[in-house]
C-alpha cells in the first residue's frame, strides 16, 4: 500500500459543493473522489456507496468535489519543526537492527515515504538499510542523493537527512547511508490524538469485505480512534473493522484495521450520534507507517508542537 509523504501542505484543490445527493451514484464506482469542505478526502474515486451510507454522508458532512484538472503540490522539502533543545546524535535514537524506516528523496515535490529496514551500522555513524519498497512512480536511490528518513524507535519517531554513500547489489541489495546531517525528534506520547473528520466505513465483518455503514472518525492516534456512529455498534470488548482513505498531496492510501471497542462516550460531535473509543489491533508495518505519517502530518499542519514544553 502507498502511504502519504510527510508534508505539512496539501495538494491545491478547487472544491465545489455537491448540493444534490443524486450526483453520487449508488452501488456504482464513484467517478471522482469526494472531499469535506476543509479538503479532507471522505471517499476515494472508485469507492461505492449504498443508500444508507449516502444519507449519512450528506447528513453529517459537507461533500464537495475537486474541479481542478491537476492538483498542485505544496513544498514537501520542509522538515517537521524541531522542538528539542540541542543537537541530537545517532546514539540518542536508540535504533535497533530491524527498525522500520520510511525513506524518500529530498528532490522533487510531494514524494511519498517508502518502507525499508535498518540492517546495520558502520563506525562513524553510517547506516545500512534495505532498498525501499517499490513506489508509484518507481524510485531507485542513486549515489550522492540526499534522502529523508523517518525512523520509528521505541519511544519516539525521528526525522533525519542522509546522503546515499553506496548502492550495493552483493551479497544482496542494500544501501549505505551517511551519518545523519540533521536529526529531529518528533515527540510522541502514548496516545497523542489529532482532530479529524473522516468518513469511516465500519462493520462487524472483520475481513472488511462487507461494511454497510458509515461513521465519522472524530480524532485519531497511532493506537486508535474515536468513531461517531448513528447507532451503538457493539458492546465494550467487541471488535469491528474500520476502513477509511488517507491522503496527503497526491499520495493516497486505504487504511483498514480491526479495532476493539474500549468505551462508549456521550461527548458526541453531533446530536444523535454515539461515540465509540476504538483501539486498533496490531497493524502491519506498512499500515503503521501510513498511520504515523498521517498523524504527524496533521500535527505539523496545525502547529501541534507549538504549545508543547521544550
Amino acid at each position: 500500500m502507498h502511504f502519504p509523504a510527510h508534508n505539512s501542505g496539501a495538494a491545491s484543490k478547487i472544491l465545489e459543493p455537491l448540493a444534490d445527493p443524486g450526483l453520487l451514484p449508488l452501488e456504482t464506482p464513484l467517478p471522482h473522489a469526494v472531499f469535506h469542505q476543509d479538503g479532507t478526502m471522505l471517499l476515494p474515486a472508485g469507492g461505492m456507496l449504498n443508500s444508507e451510507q449516502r444519507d449519512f454522508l450528506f447528513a453529517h458532512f459537507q461533500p464537495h468535489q475537486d474541479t481542478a484538472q491537476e492538483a498542485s503540490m505544496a513544498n514537501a522539502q520542509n522538515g517537521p519543526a524541531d522542538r528539542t533543545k540541542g543537537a541530537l546524535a545517532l546514539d540518542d535514537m536508540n535504533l535497533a537492527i530491524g527498525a522500520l524506516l520510511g525513506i524518500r528523496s529530498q528532490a522533487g515535490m510531494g514524494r511519498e515515504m517508502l518502507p525499508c529496514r535498518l540492517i546495520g551500522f558502520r563506525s562513524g555513524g553510517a547506516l545500512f538499510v534495505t532498498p525501499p519498497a517499490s513506489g508509484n512512480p518507481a524510485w531507485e536511490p542513486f549515489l550522492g542523493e540526499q534522502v529523508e528518513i523517518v525512523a520509528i524507535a521505541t519511544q519516539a519517531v525521528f526525522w533525519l537527512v542522509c546522503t546515499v554513500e553506496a548502492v550495493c547489489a552483493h551479497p544482496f541489495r542494500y544501501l549505505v547511508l551517511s551519518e545523519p546531517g540533521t536529526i529531529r525528534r518528533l515527540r510522541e506520547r502514548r496516545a497523542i490524538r489529532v482532530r479529524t473528520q473522516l468518513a469511516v466505513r465500519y462493520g462487524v465483518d472483520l475481513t472488511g469485505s462487507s461494511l454497510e455503514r458509515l461513521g465519522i472518525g472524530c480524532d485519531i492516534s497511532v493506537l486508535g480512534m474515536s468513531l461517531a456512529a448513528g447507532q451503538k455498534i457493539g458492546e465494550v470488548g467487541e471488535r469491528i473493522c474500520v476502513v477509511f482513505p488517507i491522503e496527503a498531496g497526491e499520495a493516497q492510501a486505504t487504511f483498514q484495521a480491526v479495532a476493539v471497542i474500549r468505551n462508549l462516550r456521550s461527548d458526541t460531535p453531533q446530536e444523535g450520534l454515539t461515540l465509540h473509543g476504538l483501539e486498533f489491533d496490531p497493524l502491519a508495518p506498512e499500515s503503521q507507517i501510513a498511520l504515523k505519517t498521517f498523524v504527524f502530518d496533521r500535527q505539523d499542519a496545525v502547529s501541534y508542537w507549538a504549545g508543547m514544553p521544550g
Side-chain angles (χ1 to χ4, degrees), residues 1 16 88 183 233 280:
M1 75 183 276
E16 291 186 359
L88 291 171
I183 301 177
I233 301 173
F280 298 133

Side-chain angles (χ1 to χ4, degrees), residues 6-30:
H6 186 88
N7 184 356
S8 60
S12 299
K13 300 183 180 73
I14 301 176
L15 296 180
E16 291 186 359
L18 289 165
D20 181 6
L23 294 174
L24 296 182
L26 296 177
E27 308 296 348
T28 302
L30 296 174

Side-chain angles (χ1 to χ4, degrees), residues 250-274:
E250 292 180 343
Q252 300 176 5
T254 298
F255 178 85
Q256 178 173 327
V258 173
V260 60
I261 301 173
R262 289 303 185 193
N263 56 69
L264 301 170
R265 307 204 300 272
S266 59
D267 52 334
T268 56
Q270 298 179 33
E271 186 176 354
L273 301 180
T274 301

Side-chain angles (χ1 to χ4, degrees), residues 21-41:
L23 294 174
L24 296 182
L26 296 177
E27 308 296 348
T28 302
L30 296 174
H32 50 70
V34 179
F35 300 87
H36 193 48
Q37 60 182 357
D38 63 359
T40 300
M41 180 184 286

Side-chain angles (χ1 to χ4, degrees), residues 79-80 82 87-90 93 106 146-149 158-163 178-185:
D82 187 357
L88 291 171
L90 193 60
M93 299 167 61
Q106 276 203 311
Q146 283 201 312
V147 295
E148 295 180 2
I149 303 288
F158 297 87
W159 177 86
L160 49 147
V161 176
C162 300
T163 300
S178 70
E179 180 180 6
T182 303
I183 301 177
R184 292 173 181 166
R185 183 176 187 269

Side-chain angles (χ1 to χ4, degrees), residues 89-114:
L90 193 60
D91 289 344
D92 296 323
M93 299 167 61
N94 295 315
L95 286 177
I97 301 299
L100 186 62
L101 309 176
I103 184 172
R104 72 173 180 188
S105 173
Q106 276 203 311
M109 301 172 66
R111 292 181 182 271
E112 61 179 325
M113 284 281 182
L114 298 173

Side-chain angles (χ1 to χ4, degrees), residues 30-242:
L30 296 174
H32 50 70
V34 179
F35 300 87
H36 193 48
Q37 60 182 357
D38 63 359
T40 300
M41 180 184 286
L42 299 176
L43 298 169
M48 291 195 293
L49 289 169
N50 59 32
S51 178
E52 182 179 345
Q53 291 170 339
R54 188 173 68 179
D55 290 345
F56 187 94
L57 189 74
F58 278 85
H60 299 285
F61 296 91
Q62 291 79 48
H64 286 62
Q65 62 180 343
D66 181 11
T67 59
Q69 294 299 312
E70 295 184 358
S72 61
M73 301 300 296
N75 189 340
Q77 296 186 15
N78 295 326
D82 187 357
R83 306 295 178 186
T84 58
K85 296 180 179 179
L88 291 171
L90 193 60
D91 289 344
D92 296 323
M93 299 167 61
N94 295 315
L95 286 177
I97 301 299
L100 186 62
L101 309 176
I103 184 172
R104 72 173 180 188
S105 173
Q106 276 203 311
M109 301 172 66
R111 292 181 182 271
E112 61 179 325
M113 284 281 182
L114 298 173
C116 65
R117 293 278 182 179
L118 177 67
I119 58 175
F121 300 94
R122 188 181 69 189
S123 177
L127 306 175
F128 296 83
V129 303
T130 62
S134 59
N136 185 21
W139 169 58
E140 291 289 342
F142 58 83
L143 183 65
E145 184 174 17
Q146 283 201 312
V147 295
E148 295 180 2
I149 303 288
V150 171
I152 301 177
T154 304
Q155 300 298 326
V157 175
F158 297 87
W159 177 86
L160 49 147
V161 176
C162 300
T163 300
V164 178
E165 291 190 342
V167 179
C168 304
H170 301 287
F172 52 84
R173 295 180 65 237
Y174 66 94
L175 304 177
V176 181
L177 306 180
S178 70
E179 180 180 6
T182 303
I183 301 177
R184 292 173 181 166
R185 183 176 187 269
L186 306 177
R187 292 188 299 177
E188 178 185 5
R189 298 183 308 190
R190 187 177 184 275
I192 287 176
R193 288 180 176 261
V194 291
R195 293 185 178 181
T196 56
Q197 192 164 9
L198 302 171
V200 180
R201 296 177 185 268
Y202 69 89
V204 296
D205 176 8
L206 301 188
T207 68
S209 60
S210 178
L211 303 178
E212 298 297 327
R213 298 189 180 277
L214 197 66
I216 304 173
C218 306
D219 58 60
I220 191 167
S221 77
V222 297
L223 299 177
M225 68 186 305
S226 295
L227 177 63
Q231 60 185 21
K232 182 179 175 182
I233 301 173
E235 301 296 335
V236 172
E238 294 182 345
R239 281 178 160 77
I240 64 171
C241 180
V242 294

